[in-house]
Amino acid sequence: YAIRIRDVLSGDTLAGLRDRLLDRDDHGPLGTDPQFRRIGHAFSETASVDDQEEYFRSAAEHLAYIREVCAPHPYPADTLRLLLDEVWPAGATVLTWESRKFLPGVVRYQQPGVDLEPHTDNVARNLPADQTLGIARQLSVNVYLGLPDRGGELELWEAYPDESDYQQLSGDRTWGIDRHLVGEPALTLSPETGEAIVID
């Protein structure tokens, strides 16, 4: 269900990144749901060609800003990408579409009392129908800088609906699936501060 890499961040690096990234005033609202806060735009927020043009135009700017905020500590997405490039047989690099680079990672701040609905991440969902970029399965990784005293669990389901099934399950929602449609999670993890969790 998941690969847990504990202590990806620890010591002064973890403390420094927590100081620089938590409780900032510049966590902007997610374009699809303002109750979620983030630095940088996710490709999943693009709903039109104009949105995508703006996303790619600003990707390098957002990455430079996040690195500046993290400095002198490394941006965790960079750390993980270098690690994967060394150990993954085919290597790892920033995803590119039509010679334009995606933003590798978004800084997210989950506000107290805000619950995430079950969902799948799928870059192809926002691409033209004939574009797949060669993606067979999409892995997501969360690096945890801070967790609440209660809550914050990561729930995982065995179901991996194809895009047609996912859209049917989503119905009129702009994001995610109603919990009662997918039942109880197969696994619930309690993340640890400084840990990276990779999921399919």
Side-chain angles (χ1 to χ4, degrees), residues 102-121:
F102 284 75
L103 174 62
V106 175
V107 176
R108 288 202 171 96
Y109 179 70
Q110 189 79 0
Q111 295 175 300
V114 175
D115 190 21
L116 286 170
E117 297 293 346
H119 66 280
T120 62
D121 293 327

Side-chain angles (χ1 to χ4, degrees), residues 5 21-22 24 34 36 56 76 81 85 100-101 111-112 119 124 140 144 154 158 164 181-182:
I5 310 170
L21 292 172
L22 299 183
R24 294 180 62 87
F36 300 112
F56 285 113
R81 193 157 44 83
D85 194 39
R100 298 178 296 180
K101 298 286 187 181
Q111 295 175 300
H119 66 280
S140 296
Y144 294 87
L154 176 63
E158 284 191 286
S164 175
L181 296 178
V182 292

Side-chain angles (χ1 to χ4, degrees), residues 8 10 16 19 24 34 63 77 86 90-92 109 120 135 138 150-151 154 161 175 190-191 196:
V8 165
S10 61
D19 182 58
R24 294 180 62 87
L63 182 57
E86 292 172 1
Y109 179 70
T120 62
I135 297 171
Q138 183 172 329
R150 293 178 57 241
L154 176 63
W175 186 85
S190 295

